[in-house]
Amino acid sequence: MKLKSLILGSVAAAGLSTAGFAADLGVLTSLDVCDALGLSGLTISSDTNCLQISGEVKYEFQWGDYAANWNGGTNPAWINSHAGGRNVMDNDSVVVGGVTYDNDWRSKVETWLKFVGTADSDFGPASATIKLKSLTDTVFTNEGYNAAGVYVGSTVGGDATTNGAGSNGAWIVDEAFVSVGDTTVIMAGKKGSVANFGDDEPFNWLGLFNSDAVDKGVMFAKNHPKTGGHVIQVVSDLGNGVGVKLGLENLEGSTSDAFNGIPARNGGQAAGTLVGVLEYAGEGITAHVTGLAGGVLDGVVEDWAVHAGVTGTFDAFKVRAAGAFSSHAANTNYWNVLGSAQATFDMFTIALSGEAAGGQVGGVALANQVGVGGSIGATVTEGVSINLGGRWYDENTAIANTEGYQVAAQLVAAVTETIKITGEIGVYGTNKPVAVQQTDFYGKAELAWAPGGGFTSSIAGEAHQNGAYKVTFKAAKAFQ
């Protein structure tokens, strides 16, 4: 027994000594490959590779009388306006055989699952990424009847990546690319763009009308040039907060979408978008300039665009400026600029923003448009805050009575650590000489619950002066 204990003790001591010696040499002996690569979350490891798995499921259900039938009906003319009706609901209905059909509902499930396999290389981490995505989106307007009283059923929303309702509920490959590098990373495959479109959202609570229309910020004509898709990209951190990005994107030649009267071009002419980015982040400043040249594979640049933004944070103050410009064939271009400032004083936060847009199509000028917005927020007590705000937009500065506006007040109260209540009242309005109401008062409330574990849910109700109403339920869970 003593001899056995002595042998085991010697082996253990030798093992510890070897491990210590290996550690001195910088050799990892017992550390998991995921830890060695600095990767965490939900992982599976082999001797040389670490597989990260992440995903999310989101569900949303809406019901009420809120969706106008855009084929006709009795909608106020300004419901379709750029400003006044941007977020307004309408209680449109269809009468068939003496029966009124006015209920609307929507059921949407969004799902994605992402796998990233990473290993070490002489040039830095080498990885392969595969992201699968599914979208099931079913919409009923007026219980399935169109303005002519014909039953057409639901509108099914497919996935934008596959362009069509036929993909409703199908799993598609949203991303599939390889990458290698550390401070300089090379990427190739199917993925999003390296273009930086940040530093352009207004600070005021309600935002701005045109900013909302282009997904919160400033933007040129959509998909002119088109980015992402099949790509070859290089990004590099130059140090001191400076970074550069270069990408050759849209190599599959997806057709650009028409916007602001700009016609779509065929895929061959649209193929290939060169993207270059210079950005900075440090010392209270973030800034970027993104340049794009579209259709380069055929040797001719059919369209080009620039997006730039800068944000400065100075103690209690923030300022932001952003602009976008795009140019297309036949004297067609579009521009959009935005400025915003915010100041925080003890319990109060004040913000003011402004925007403008314009351009031309075929040498004919588009209407110049301007908008402003402002808000005051206050933290009343711990967990309770209020916001007061307004925004205004002029769709055509050259003629009168083309303005729309919104004024609103919001109360946010954290009932517990996991439950939050939000209430809002406000009004949309216009000075357009329309035959029906020029204002639409509304009220809405939301109860949000986040018990932890990545699970979130909410139920919200909204009612409008014009008779429209909507109830929305949401639930989501992400994992990584």
Side-chain angles (χ1 to χ4, degrees), residues 234-395:
V234 179
V235 301
S236 184
D237 182 357
L238 303 181
N240 297 318
V242 179
V244 294
K245 300 177 180 178
L246 184 66
L248 189 56
E249 305 179 354
N250 189 34
L251 296 177
E252 76 276 30
S254 295
T255 302
S256 296
D257 300 325
F259 183 69
N260 280 335
I262 300 167
R265 294 181 281 104
N266 64 55
Q269 289 178 301
T273 299
L274 184 63
V275 182
V277 182
L278 176 63
E279 54 191 15
Y280 172 79
E283 300 180 358
I285 302 290
T286 57
H288 76 275
V289 176
T290 296
L292 307 97
V296 299
L297 292 189
D298 63 359
V300 179
V301 175
E302 275 77 21
D303 47 20
W304 60 271
V306 177
H307 186 285
V310 58
T311 301
T313 302
F314 312 99
D315 296 326
F317 299 93
K318 287 184 178 180
V319 293
R320 172 169 289 167
F325 179 86
S326 60
S327 178
H328 315 278
N331 297 317
T332 297
N333 57 60
Y334 179 77
W335 60 267
N336 184 197
V337 295
L338 179 151
S340 188
Q342 175 183 291
T344 302
F345 307 100
D346 296 327
M347 60 182 289
F348 295 100
T349 298
I350 302 172
L352 182 65
S353 305
E355 63 180 348
Q360 61 178 342
V361 176
V364 178
L366 294 169
N368 287 330
Q369 303 176 332
V370 296
V372 295
S375 64
I376 300 176
T379 302
V380 180
T381 62
E382 184 177 356
V384 179
S385 61
I386 58 174
N387 289 297
L388 303 174
R391 55 180 176 172
W392 169 90
Y393 200 80
D394 187 350
E395 298 175 32

Side-chain angles (χ1 to χ4, degrees), residues 54-57 109-115 130-136 159 161-162 166-174 190 479:
S54 57
E56 183 179 33
V57 175
V109 179
E110 296 179 83
T111 312
W112 62 267
L113 193 59
K114 187 174 183 177
F115 304 90
I130 300 175
K131 182 180 178 181
L132 306 176
K133 185 171 69 174
S134 173
L135 171 63
T136 303
D159 193 287
T161 308
T162 53
S167 64
N168 194 44
W171 281 92
I172 64 166
V173 178
D174 185 49
K190 180 182 180 181
F479 63 89

